[in-house]
Amino acid sequence: MEYLTHSLIDKSEALQIVNRLKTEKSSWQDGKITAGSHAAKIKSNFQLDKNSNLSIELREIIVNKIISNPLLKSFTLPNLIHGVMFTQSKDGNGYGSHIDNPYMPSGRSDLSFTLFLNSPEDYNGGELCIQTTNKTEKIKLSAGEMIIYPSTQLHSVAKVKDGERYVCVGWIQSYVQNNEDRNFLFGLDAGAKSLLAKHGRSDELDLIFQAYSNILRRLGD
């Protein structure tokens, strides 16, 4: 499984978002309302009403941060960033093992992301657990850091034992649906850009960028 962790926003900006979320008392909803019949049985958290003014404002900030980040654009090839929501997990809240729906009302889920908003010291438990063939990856990042991983993976959120966990989650519909194809393109793009930075433009490098662009045309939606 290929996944990417990256610092999306400054820690101070992340904590400002958390402070605003904490003062928003009336717009939190039971997380089960956006879960399917099976997921509702294993999901326990709170979500900020997607239609609230705060949710709309913060969602626009996060989406713009993602699409303006060259590394994230290269890794995800985003066609649509959708379903973005802010969640709160308190003592005893968690989310059992599940896989994200391939098609949602907002778009197709090729990649999932979790942006950690408060410091890991603020709560015990609450790790994002991603199942691979041989083990389970347990991820708990610093405030402002995010992880992007294939939506094809089984994953869960460990129960919070004390404190409060604030994250922003969402999905990306990529121009290239297949994870392996997208990883090939990411490696090719990273290598070409590294050569450009070290040696400058060349006729040979132009051919690499040409190949990248034409492969993307063939593999893309």
Side-chain angles (χ1 to χ4, degrees):
M1 180 198 66
E2 296 287 342
Y3 64 81
L4 178 70
T5 59
H6 187 66
S7 179
L8 182 70
I9 57 177
D10 294 337
K11 181 178 180 180
S12 59
E13 188 175 0
L15 297 181
Q16 286 176 11
I17 291 175
V18 171
N19 289 335
R20 297 190 65 186
L21 292 174
K22 287 182 176 181
T23 59
E24 187 75 7
K25 301 296 185 183
S26 61
S27 298
W28 290 99
Q29 303 172 330
D30 191 328
K32 296 181 187 297
I33 65 172
T34 58
S37 57
H38 170 69
K41 298 176 182 178
I42 56 174
K43 184 178 183 181
S44 173
N45 66 5
F46 299 91
Q47 295 171 182
L48 189 67
D49 182 355
K50 288 185 177 182
N51 297 316
S52 69
N53 291 333
L54 181 58
S55 180
I56 294 170
E57 176 190 347
L58 296 180
R59 181 165 64 241
E60 183 176 356
I61 291 172
I62 298 305
V63 171
N64 286 336
K65 289 281 188 180
I66 294 173
I67 62 177
S68 63
N69 187 292
L71 178 66
L72 299 185
K73 284 181 66 176
S74 178
F75 183 73
T76 65
L77 299 170
N79 181 12
L80 177 66
I81 300 172
H82 62 95
V84 179
M85 69 180 83
F86 298 85
T87 75
Q88 174 197 61
S89 299
K90 300 181 180 181
D91 187 9
N93 290 155
Y95 198 165
S97 181
H98 65 285
I99 190 165
D100 294 331
N101 290 332
Y103 290 93
M104 304 177 182
S106 52
R108 189 181 68 223
S109 61
D110 297 323
L111 292 156
S112 306
F113 68 82
T114 298
L115 169 63
F116 290 76
L117 294 173
N118 58 332
S119 299
E121 296 82 11
D122 292 345
Y123 56 97
N124 290 323
E127 297 87 356
L128 172 65
C129 304
I130 304 176
Q131 295 183 30
T132 64
T133 302
N134 296 315
K135 62 179 180 179
T136 298
E137 298 276 357
K138 294 186 177 181
I139 295 137
K140 189 175 183 181
L141 302 178
S142 299
E145 294 184 337
M146 74 183 310
I147 178 170
I148 303 175
Y149 59 96
S151 300
T152 52
Q153 297 298 129
L154 281 167
H155 56 282
S156 62
V157 177
K159 284 187 177 181
V160 173
K161 298 175 182 178
D162 61 73
E164 292 181 338
R165 174 188 191 261
Y166 288 90
V167 300
C168 172
V169 300
W171 293 269
I172 298 174
Q173 179 175 314
S174 176
Y175 281 111
V176 176
Q177 183 174 356
N178 182 271
N179 290 322
E180 188 174 22
D181 290 341
R182 201 168 47 247
N183 288 332
F184 288 152
L185 286 165
F186 179 60
L188 182 59
D189 187 45
K193 288 177 178 175
S194 178
L195 287 174
L196 179 63
K198 288 182 178 180
H199 306 292
R201 182 200 164 277
S202 66
D203 292 341
E204 293 80 6
L205 195 54
D206 284 346
L207 291 175
I208 295 176
F209 280 120
Q210 179 189 35
Y212 172 86
S213 297
N214 289 332
I215 292 171
L216 180 57
R217 284 190 181 94
R218 174 170 291 191
L219 295 177
D221 291 340

